[in-house]
Amino acid sequence: MLPKTFIRHISQFAGVRDAAKYVPRRALLYVPASNQKMLDKIPMMQADSVVIELEDGVALTAKAEARAQATVALDKIPYHSLACQELGLRVNSVSSGLLEDDIKAVSKAEKLPHAFMVPKVDSPEDLVTIYNIFREHYGDERITNTNTRLVIWIESARALLDMPRILSSTLNLHKQAGFFKLDAVVFGSDDFCADIGATRSSHGTETLFARQKFVTCCKAFQLQAIDSVYIDIKDLDGLRRQSAEGRQWGFTGKQVIHPSQVSVVQEQFLPPKERIEWAQELVHAYSEHESLGKGAFQFRGQMIDRPLLLQALNIIQLVERVQN
């Protein structure tokens, strides 16, 4: 593996974030905050990103209980000894009318999650509401003096079409106002299909266009792209095929709804050995050409420029973190 200082040096050349801060999210596993037994198991869960869930996984009648249990869990869970890479908290959406109740409750916890996760962001105007609610209950100091990241969901036709403006506005909130930094975006396939009137299927052709447009928008802004849920939890072969497809398309991870799906998904989103070797050798070659003041060059028969360098760095950063 390449030295971390070397990777940071090359990352600065390429204009990407510090490799030491990279958070892998190959599998994103939901844990309903209304289920105390599941919350108690979080420290042992192996998914890269474990998400305390206040939204779809919690019945409307159990929202208050879920908020209370999530608030306790944030302070009780031992962050330093988690098996996962990230502990997230998914709140309810702006459109639900429940977001402020969620934030008012969980802001009472002393600790913040590694990432706040906000579903159904349909427009830049939603972001203004989200930002104002967080500011009111957390205050500017707690928001700006933290490494907590932001993850948002795109789940409607309107959001998909307006995605570049949504992502740009979210990133600008971090740069200009110190809000949590957007790190990843998740495609909500079930709500998207309901919005356009499509029927969900195991092969997923009904979301083919949406998933490809989604991942393209994410990568245009150098953000992680998290793929849709595979709904048949017993069909691990189908899950494996769709995960491999997603990785080939450029997705960096996938949502999972059952612990049995985690190992399958994380294996598929870990690059094969030959791809890792390609990335390491490419970065070395790029460093040599950069020191000579050269731009694009040939490597293994390919013309190499900044976009391919970014692909290589993403691979190296992922492998570094999951093998620590």
Side-chain angles (χ1 to χ4, degrees), residues 23-35:
V23 180
R25 298 181 179 92
R26 293 171 297 166
L28 193 149
L29 174 66
Y30 301 107
V31 178
S34 54
N35 188 328

Side-chain angles (χ1 to χ4, degrees), residues 115-285:
F116 277 109
M117 302 181 166
V118 185
K120 299 179 178 65
V121 178
D122 284 336
S123 68
E125 290 73 28
D126 280 355
L127 291 165
V128 175
T129 302
I130 292 165
Y131 174 58
N132 288 337
I133 289 174
F134 271 94
R135 281 192 69 193
E136 180 177 351
H137 296 285
Y138 275 95
D140 289 334
E141 186 174 351
R142 289 187 77 188
I143 290 174
T144 56
N145 295 329
T146 179
N147 292 321
T148 293
R149 308 293 181 93
L150 180 66
V151 178
I152 65 172
W153 269 246
I154 297 296
E155 305 187 60
S156 68
R158 176 188 177 188
L160 185 69
L161 294 178
D162 211 11
M163 201 170 161
R165 205 162 63 99
I166 292 171
L167 301 187
S168 178
S169 297
T170 312
L171 291 168
N172 284 337
L173 267 179
H174 170 71
K175 292 177 183 177
Q176 298 173 7
F179 195 47
F180 307 122
K181 184 178 181 181
L182 181 63
D183 210 39
V185 191
V186 186
F187 178 56
S189 57
D190 288 328
D191 284 278
F192 180 82
C193 285
D195 189 43
I196 67 172
T199 302
R200 291 284 274 124
S201 66
S202 59
H203 47 73
T205 53
E206 69 281 356
T207 59
L208 189 149
F209 165 77
R211 288 169 67 210
Q212 291 186 334
K213 179 177 175 65
F214 173 90
V215 75
T216 301
C217 289
C218 289
K219 295 311 176 71
F221 289 89
Q222 298 179 25
L223 297 167
Q224 291 185 29
I226 311 299
D227 204 359
S228 53
V229 169
Y230 190 78
I231 55 179
D232 187 349
I233 63 173
K234 295 182 179 180
D235 182 13
L236 296 183
D237 287 336
L239 173 66
R240 188 174 291 107
R241 286 193 298 271
Q242 194 178 84
S243 298
E245 174 188 75
R247 180 173 61 81
Q248 290 166 1
W249 287 3
F251 282 95
T252 50
K254 190 171 186 64
Q255 301 168 80
V256 297
I257 53 176
H258 193 274
S260 64
Q261 295 180 315
V262 171
S263 61
V264 173
V265 169
Q266 294 195 160
E267 180 183 359
Q268 291 304 311
F269 279 96
L270 188 65
K273 181 181 178 181
E274 58 270 19
R275 190 66 173 168
I276 297 171
E277 291 174 350
W278 168 86
Q280 293 172 332
E281 292 176 15
L282 188 155
V283 168
H284 268 302

Side-chain angles (χ1 to χ4, degrees), residues 29 33 36 58 61 69 71-72 77 100 114 185 233 272 308:
L29 174 66
Q36 187 60 54
V58 176
T61 55
Q69 292 183 170
T71 303
V72 172
I77 291 172
E100 184 158 19
H114 294 134
V185 191
I233 63 173
L308 275 175

Side-chain angles (χ1 to χ4, degrees), residues 4-18:
K4 290 182 180 180
T5 52
F6 178 75
I7 296 300
R8 285 196 290 269
H9 178 67
I10 297 298
S11 296
Q12 289 172 356
F13 270 127
V16 297
R17 59 182 173 269
D18 190 337

Side-chain angles (χ1 to χ4, degrees), residues 72-83:
V72 172
L74 287 175
D75 284 337
K76 180 181 177 182
I77 291 172
Y79 285 28
H80 64 281
S81 60
L82 289 171

